[in-house]
Amino acid sequence: MLNYIWAAMIIMGILFGAINGNMKEVTEAALDSAGEAVSLCIAMAGIMALWVGLMEIAESSGLILRLTNGLSPFISFMFPGLPKKHKARDYISMNIIANILGLGWACTPAGLKAMEELAKLEAERGNPEYLCEGKATVGKTGRVASNEMCTFLILNISSLQLIPVNMIAYRQQYGSVNPAGIIAPAIVATFVSTLTAVVYCKGKDRRRRG
């Protein structure tokens, strides 16, 4: 759907430029933007490589494990039906930690692994909507997400961030005078969104159990 939206916007922009006799400006803007996109990708690739490498070092040193243990009470609070020793807990914790550090791209692998493990859990529970290897299959009622999956997805979207690395990198790339000035507003905004997500998830979980 997004592909159609972007295609329509591009076509409308080109037509608007042609009607107003600004095709030269449209062409120059397209070429300049293409060059900026390449530069931004290279800059972001370096930053993400640095932070992903630091995450690997933190995992090897045992820091991630200690942080995961620290998050254990929160994970138990948000996912009461998730077994204590289940692998999904580790991946969920890693995803939350990466989000807190503002590593939106780096948290994706852990998020995907968490979803796979949660799907395996549904298969172990005897949910016919899931295959034994943890992949969802479509039944008569369609594709169904478990309560844990929905909670994890909402937490991942709300994503409390203490250091919004991606936004700082974007601001620095485009010449911001104070790239780190986004930190305080980001903490406030993401704290409110995460708190709202927690209240919403617990409210829905209580209603489901009731």
Side-chain angles (χ1 to χ4, degrees), residues 126-210:
N127 190 333
E129 294 295 325
Y130 294 86
L131 299 176
C132 293
E133 60 268 26
K135 295 180 180 178
T137 181
V138 178
K140 292 182 180 180
T141 58
R143 197 180 299 268
V144 179
S146 67
N147 189 58
E148 288 86 0
M149 288 180 176
C150 294
T151 299
F152 173 63
L153 182 61
I154 293 172
L155 285 177
N156 184 61
I157 293 172
S158 65
S159 65
L160 172 66
Q161 293 186 9
L162 299 181
I163 310 174
V165 177
N166 289 349
M167 291 304 300
I168 292 174
Y170 289 139
R171 287 164 61 86
Q172 184 176 15
Q173 180 71 14
Y174 287 104
S176 173
V177 177
N178 183 19
I182 193 68
I183 291 179
I187 291 175
V188 173
T190 56
F191 175 78
V192 172
S193 66
T194 302
L195 181 61
T196 303
V198 170
V199 173
Y200 175 80
C201 289
K202 297 310 292 183
K204 295 294 287 186
D205 186 54
R206 179 176 296 181
R207 180 178 297 180
R208 183 182 66 86
R209 293 175 183 275

Side-chain angles (χ1 to χ4, degrees), residues 41-85:
C41 287
I42 293 173
M44 293 303 296
I47 293 170
M48 293 307 300
L50 171 64
W51 281 97
V52 171
L54 290 175
M55 288 288 287
E56 290 292 331
I57 294 172
E59 183 177 5
S60 300
S61 66
L63 178 60
I64 295 296
L65 178 60
R66 287 193 289 271
L67 291 174
T68 299
N69 293 334
L71 283 174
S72 182
F74 177 73
I75 300 299
S76 298
F77 173 71
M78 293 302 302
F79 302 90
L82 191 61
K84 294 245 179 192
K85 299 295 184 181

